[in-house]
Amino acid sequence: MASTRRGATSRTTLPATWDTSSEDYEYVPLRLPPDVTRVTASMRLAIQAEYGGWELSRVRAYTDGSRRVLLRRRKTALAGPAGHSAEL
């Protein structure tokens, strides 16, 4: 049976104030465990930004040392049937 305590759900879902509905952006949530240092977290996020096109949207730090991160990037036009980009 699933737990309905607030503490349990806050670890498995995004904070309620984090809006991820957008026609212009796609979002990806990340959880960084407490053992990840600030420098390591910064390097991981920089790599995501450089090679994946992601940018930092939000960060929430918790008292146990873990962090919730929300990355976003602009949506791209999908390729059409013959490799042509879809018209908007």
Side-chain angles (χ1 to χ4, degrees):
M1 186 171 220
S3 173
T4 57
R5 293 183 325 192
R6 183 161 172 78
T9 57
S10 68
R11 290 187 180 135
T12 58
T13 61
L14 289 174
T17 58
W18 290 13
D19 184 24
T20 59
S21 60
S22 172
E23 292 185 19
D24 297 329
Y25 289 97
E26 58 183 321
Y27 293 88
V28 64
L30 298 175
R31 181 188 173 274
L32 299 174
D35 62 333
V36 175
T37 66
R38 189 178 185 126
V39 172
T40 304
S42 172
M43 288 173 32
R44 286 184 183 183
L45 296 174
I47 290 169
Q48 289 293 329
E50 181 71 25
Y51 297 107
W54 295 98
E55 63 185 37
L56 188 62
S57 179
R58 294 190 181 250
V59 177
R60 181 171 285 181
Y62 293 95
T63 55
D64 69 352
S66 65
R67 296 174 196 86
R68 289 240 180 239
V69 177
L70 187 62
L71 301 177
R72 73 177 187 175
R73 69 178 169 189
R74 286 216 177 263
K75 290 182 179 178
T76 57
L78 299 175
H84 301 287
S85 63
E87 296 201 4
L88 300 176

